[in-house]
Each structure stands twice: as structure tokens, then as C-alpha cells.
Amino acid sequence: FAISEQLTPVSFERQKEFIEFVNAIHKKEGDWNEFGENCLTGWGCTGDIYIKVVMTEVAGQKSAAMYVLDNRTVRYVNDGNYNMLAVSPKWDTHYIMKYPPDYIPVYPFISDDKKGTTQFIIHKKNGTGFYGRPTSIGSITEQYTEYKESIYRCTNASHRFNPDVLMEITGRDPKVRKQENDEAELSGFANLEEQSNFRMADGNPDAPSIILTERPFGGEPIKIHEFNVNTKDKYFQGSKKMNMDAIFLSHNWSQKLAGVPMATGWSNEAFLDELSIKEITIRKAQNVVEQPLNDAFYEIAKFMGNGMEKYSVNYVHPFANVLKQRKDATEGINTKANNK
């Protein structure tokens, strides 16, 4: 992160003090970039970011901690105002009866246990309901289809879950049927059908799987139907492309930047062109994290009494310098051309 260029510049010493302040805040992540990535993971999955802030004072010593909560662990409490969140690693009845959830207010409400601990949860959501929804919800059916098709191919390759043959036989005379079933039971089988399936497989795990059904006695002759598993490459390739196009579109992202091979080839200029187009998408993602992050820094700075609540942070575009150099070079070329 960096001090925002939108605000009044501050001295190097003041910037250093602010950086020392935020780095003193306890977090599980290695740095604030990783913290932001964890926030975006929740945003991408459900359209929610939950940041728990805990501030403590013991014997005059103040400290603070920030935690990105797993969205699955958080529920709103119906207290009439919905200003409280319940947090629990599990939500099955037996667990919460034994281990009640923690109840923490939603920012801007803040709890104080009068024993030196103050805490709250900042909830950033995409939408107007109690919970958010992912920005990629427009492709939810394509995401599900992509998942199910992968499971279909994987399961068929490992277990051959589809039957190979349907065999429909005519029922036997009840007297004959009882005798055949009795003989099958003497051989250790439940009935003739189970014994027949065993003989067809012949102990081979790769033998064709067969569904054996029976019509009433006196019906038509035996019928056999063979099933074919869908292994057509064109079908899966076409479906994969449709799913991929919809998923990338809903994320407002580029297949090229994601490394998907393109028939048109790839070059540095093409990469920068694509990156320049998606600059707004990157900036929006950064803004999503900055707002709750700065809210937390503001409250912690007030608690610490260090005067840092007047400052905020912005994430820097990872290719800001490269794009600026390219823009300056292009403007320079255009200026020379106009002067001729």
C-alpha cells in the first residue's frame, strides 16, 4: 500500500510513522497485500468481506488486531435491529449448544466489555440485503456446468458409473424361479439375478456393468440394450468454451491476462493494451478492500490516540509505473508529430 496520491502529501517522517503504526497491528497474514487478497477471496465467493477488529488495553499498554473472517462462520442475529453478528466455526445444533457463538456488533457499533477489550466487525457487502452476492453471479449456471462436466469425466474414468448394458429378461414360471433361487442361495447368492451378474463379470473389475431387469412371466422374449458414454471431444470442447466465455465476462477479466492460449498470438504491446483496458477492473477490486481497511485503521488510530486517524491508504496498481511510462512515451511521440 502507499499513502494516497489523492490526498495532501505528507512528510517522509509522517509516512514512516504511519507505516510503523499499521505494521504494529497484529494479523495472521504475512503482509497487507496478503490481507487484501484474503478479503478479495471472500468478496469473490459470496460478495462479503468480514474484518474483525479487536483493541485491548492492559496496564496502560494498548494493542490491536485485525482478522479476515471466513464468510461461512458469520451469521446475522435477529435482535430486531440486525446490528449484531454471531461467529462460530460450526453451525450444527450440537456444536453451538456446547460451544455458543461469539456475538460481536457490526460497525459502526462497537462493544466494550469494560475490562479493556473493544471489538467490532466491519462488513463490506455487494448488495442491499443482509448478505452480499458475488459479482460473478451472472455466470453461476456456467460455473456449475463446468464443475459438473469435470466430475462427469473424472467419475467415468475412475469408476465407470454408467451401466454398459441393460438386459431385460422374461419372468420365469414361479415354480422354476423358486428352484433357481434356491440353487443360487446354496452357492452363496441372494438370488439368480445376483449369481448371473457375478458370472457375467467373472471376477473382472473392468468387466461390463449390467443392469438386469425382469418382466412378468409370459411376456416378450429377452431384450438387450447397450449404452454409450458421452466421450465426444467436440461436445466438451464447445461446452468448455461457452462456460469459459461467460465466466470471464462475469468477472470482467481477460482470458489473455489469465494465460489462456490465443490464436492471435501474444506480445508485450498486446499485453499492455489488455492491461490498460482492465485497469479499471483492478482499481475497483482495490477500492473494495481499501474502504473497510481504512475504517479499521481509523478506529484503531483513535483508540491508540496517535493522531493517525487523519491518514488513509491506497493500494498501488501493480503495473502503474509501466503503464505511465508507456503513456508518457506515446504522448511524446504524438507531440513531436504535431510539431512537424
Side-chain angles (χ1 to χ4, degrees), residues 194-225:
E194 183 178 304
Q195 186 179 36
S196 299
N197 284 331
F198 179 81
R199 285 175 176 172
M200 291 173 186
D202 197 25
N204 180 6
D206 294 323
S209 58
I210 298 172
I211 297 178
L212 185 64
T213 63
E214 182 181 70
R215 292 193 305 273
F217 173 68
E220 297 179 0
I222 186 171
K223 288 185 178 180
I224 297 177
H225 177 75

Side-chain angles (χ1 to χ4, degrees), residues 52 63 79 104 119 127 220 222 236 242 255 289 295 317-318:
K52 177 182 175 182
S63 62
D79 60 352
I104 305 172
Q119 61 180 344
E220 297 179 0
I222 186 171
F236 287 107
M242 288 190 294
Q255 296 188 28
V289 178
D295 284 345
H317 191 296

